[in-house]
Amino acid sequence: MIYKEIENKIDELKNSFNEISNHRKNLLLNFSEYISAKISKNEVVNLTFICTHNSRRSHMSQILAQTAAHYFNIPNVKCYSGGTEATAFNLHAVKAIENCGFKIRKLDDSQNPIYLVSYSENVEPIKCFSKVYSDEFNPQNNFAAIMTCSDADENCPVVFGAEVRFPIRYNDPKEFDGTDLEELKYRERFEEIGTEMLFTFNNIKID
C-alpha cells in the first residue's frame, strides 16, 4: 500500500492530465510506448533520469516514476538517476518530496549523503544520492536515458549504453533558491513531474 498522503496527492495530480499540452503528451506517449514494448517482451525496464548535477529534477523524476509504476502495477520497472557530474541531492528538493508524504531517511552527513526514500511500507526504499549517469550503481547498458534538463540534453549528445533517449525537460527550480517563492516553485515542479510520470504510466499497455 502506498502511504495515504501520497495516494491523496496522486488522486489530485491525475485530475491535472488535461492540463498537459499536446506537445508534452506526444513526448510522454512515446515514452509509454517504449515501456510497453519492453514489458511485452518480458524485459526489465531500466530508466535513468539524467540532469547536469543530479540534484533536483532527475531525482524527483526517478522517485515519481518508480512510485507511478508501483501505483499502476507496471512490472519490472527500475528507475535510476544520474548527471554529467556529481554534486548532492539538493535539500530543497528533499523537502519538497517529504512535504508530499514520502518518508525520507538520511544515512550519513557527507557532502553527498545517501537518502532512503519510501512511498510504501511494503516496498524497498529508493536509494538516492548524486552520481554521474555512468556510476556503477546505475545500469551500464539496455536502459532508456530520460533527459530532464536542457543542459544535459545539449551537452551530452551521446549517453553511452543507452538504447534510446527521451528529451523530457523541466525548468530548474534552482532559480528561486533563497527567495519567497522557493517552497512554492519546488512544489510546483514536483507536481508537474508527478503529473507527467503518472500520465506516462497510466498509458502503458500490458497484454
Side-chain angles (χ1 to χ4, degrees):
M1 293 290 292
I2 291 177
Y3 296 130
K4 186 62 178 177
E5 189 175 350
I6 299 175
E7 194 168 4
N8 291 340
K9 176 58 71 174
I10 288 173
D11 288 339
E12 174 189 327
L13 296 180
K14 283 162 57 182
N15 290 327
S16 301
F17 285 173
N18 60 351
E19 297 176 13
I20 303 173
S21 71
N22 288 334
H23 171 69
R24 296 291 291 185
K25 282 182 177 178
N26 287 333
L27 283 175
L28 299 169
L29 289 172
N30 286 337
F31 188 23
S32 298
E33 289 173 7
Y34 165 79
I35 298 170
S36 298
K38 297 285 283 187
I39 291 171
S40 70
K41 293 183 283 188
N42 294 315
E43 295 180 0
V44 175
V45 185
N46 290 315
L47 307 176
T48 302
F49 295 86
I50 299 174
C51 196
T52 304
H53 299 113
N54 190 208
S55 60
R56 295 172 176 82
R57 291 162 286 178
S58 49
H59 275 117
M60 289 181 178
S61 300
Q62 172 193 6
I63 292 163
L64 287 162
Q66 194 71 66
T67 304
H70 179 82
Y71 179 81
F72 288 112
N73 296 312
I74 308 300
N76 299 326
V77 174
K78 297 184 179 181
C79 297
Y80 304 86
S81 67
T84 54
E85 60 183 277
T87 55
F89 192 175
N90 182 265
L91 293 177
H92 303 312
V94 172
K95 182 180 178 183
I97 294 164
E98 201 164 30
N99 286 344
C100 286
F102 291 81
K103 299 187 186 305
I104 300 179
R105 185 158 64 98
K106 184 180 179 183
L107 295 187
D108 65 86
D109 292 314
S110 67
Q111 290 186 332
N112 182 14
I114 295 172
Y115 295 87
L116 297 181
V117 181
S118 298
Y119 54 86
S120 170
E121 290 183 357
N122 305 318
V123 180
E124 186 176 344
I126 303 166
K127 187 176 182 180
C128 295
F129 62 99
S130 186
K131 69 197 87 63
V132 295
Y133 78 81
S134 58
D135 187 274
E136 62 181 12
F137 183 81
N138 290 346
Q140 302 299 302
N141 49 57
N142 300 321
F143 65 92
I146 302 91
M147 314 305 288
T148 64
C149 80
S150 57
D151 285 348
D153 197 18
E154 292 165 1
N155 296 326
C156 201
V158 177
V159 178
F160 295 101
E163 61 183 7
V164 66
R165 67 190 283 161
F166 297 97
I168 304 176
R169 304 171 174 181
Y170 297 99
N171 291 331
D172 194 351
K174 178 183 179 179
E175 63 183 286
F176 297 97
D177 285 6
T179 73
D180 293 339
L181 295 174
E182 178 185 278
E183 185 172 337
L184 171 65
K185 293 301 181 180
Y186 273 83
R187 184 173 72 247
E188 285 180 353
R189 190 62 60 247
F190 189 73
E191 291 178 351
E192 178 191 11
I193 295 171
T195 299
E196 294 197 346
M197 290 303 107
L198 288 166
F199 178 85
T200 297
F201 282 89
N202 187 48
N203 281 282
I204 289 170
K205 307 295 190 293
I206 299 179
D207 296 330

